[in-house]
Amino acid sequence: MVENTLLKNISKYIDLTQDEILAFERFWTEKTLEKGDYLLRNGDTCRYDSYVVSGALKAFYINADNGNEEILFFAIDDWWASDLDSFSKQKPSIYNIQAIERTTVLQISHYSFQQLLAELPRLERYFRIILESYLGALQKRIIYNNVQDAESRYYAFLENYPNIASKVPQYLIASYLGVSAEFISRIKKKNKPS
């Protein structure tokens, strides 16, 4: 049976009948990654869209100029993790997705995803809403990176993603924000109650 959290997530946007739920469950497989395991590697084609049941993932690319990991996004419980461009076009990915901690995901292959939508067309609405939410978050990130100073970006991150901030190591959050881990330590120290 497909993990209840995914069905609960879907039920926020559309109602599925019992028959639709049974049909839906056929398309998914469960996979567990240990800390450090890759869900996707740069150069590989993203064959699966993955829903995070539990755990935490980071998506990143390696900066060719300095060799540093550049964090693109995080995915924790009740989030999706995929290279959408690679998945939808079935072409090689330009980044990696790796487990930060032991992580369980539900996966659907590209082929099965197409079959799922053909069989249960009402799910198109759900996936459209998820995609719109992702694009909205991406727009905010672009705006924040272009107009806010580093300290403001950090506080916006804490406000918008408190669950990630409590689960992900500080040095990864620093990479995501484009600052050093020391910078975040200084902000925390400065604002620590005396």
Side-chain angles (χ1 to χ4, degrees):
M1 181 173 170
V2 170
E3 184 68 34
N4 282 339
T5 55
L6 177 53
L7 291 171
K8 284 180 187 172
N9 186 296
I10 291 169
S11 71
K12 294 177 196 172
Y13 307 102
I14 63 169
D15 292 322
L16 296 176
T17 66
Q18 197 58 42
D19 287 343
E20 288 172 324
I21 290 170
L22 292 173
F24 177 81
E25 290 175 339
R26 296 194 330 260
F27 292 97
W28 299 85
T29 57
E30 186 176 292
K31 180 175 184 170
T32 299
L33 300 149
E34 297 302 326
K35 180 179 180 177
D37 287 350
Y38 283 82
L39 184 68
L40 177 66
R41 286 186 183 268
N42 174 16
D44 292 346
T45 298
C46 185
R47 305 274 181 217
Y48 298 92
D49 197 3
S50 299
Y51 170 82
V52 181
V53 175
S54 63
L57 301 164
K58 64 179 178 179
F60 66 96
Y61 71 94
I62 302 297
N63 185 319
D65 294 334
N66 59 24
N68 291 340
E69 269 187 16
E70 306 288 345
I71 302 294
L72 303 171
F73 65 83
F74 300 106
I76 61 170
D77 309 11
D78 201 27
W79 287 47
W80 291 88
S82 180
D83 178 337
L84 293 176
D85 190 46
S86 175
F87 181 73
S88 65
K89 296 175 183 168
Q90 288 297 279
K91 67 177 193 176
S93 177
I94 60 170
Y95 59 85
N96 303 283
I97 302 176
Q98 185 180 32
I100 298 170
E101 63 185 35
R102 190 169 203 269
T103 301
T104 301
V105 295
L106 292 174
Q107 295 187 305
I108 188 166
S109 72
H110 182 265
Y111 177 76
S112 292
F113 184 69
Q114 302 309 315
Q115 285 185 306
L116 173 71
L117 295 181
E119 194 171 318
L120 301 170
R122 290 190 316 122
L123 283 170
E124 290 262 5
R125 179 174 189 272
Y126 168 73
F127 287 105
R128 177 184 50 80
I129 291 168
I130 295 301
L131 183 59
E132 288 170 352
S133 176
Y134 171 75
L135 290 173
L138 186 59
Q139 284 178 327
K140 280 183 185 176
R141 181 170 184 205
I142 291 168
I143 291 167
Y144 290 164
N145 284 348
N146 287 329
V147 301
Q148 289 187 332
D149 63 32
E151 190 168 344
S152 298
R153 288 196 312 271
Y154 174 66
Y155 288 122
F157 179 86
L158 293 179
E159 184 178 326
N160 290 317
Y161 305 109
N163 293 337
I164 293 176
S166 67
K167 194 167 193 159
V168 171
Q170 183 172 295
Y171 75 95
L172 293 176
I173 294 170
S175 173
Y176 175 83
L177 295 172
V179 300
S180 69
E182 293 77 21
F183 178 81
I184 292 178
S185 292
R186 284 195 303 273
I187 292 172
K188 285 180 161 182
K189 192 174 189 179
K190 179 176 85 170
N191 293 312
K192 198 174 199 178
S194 300

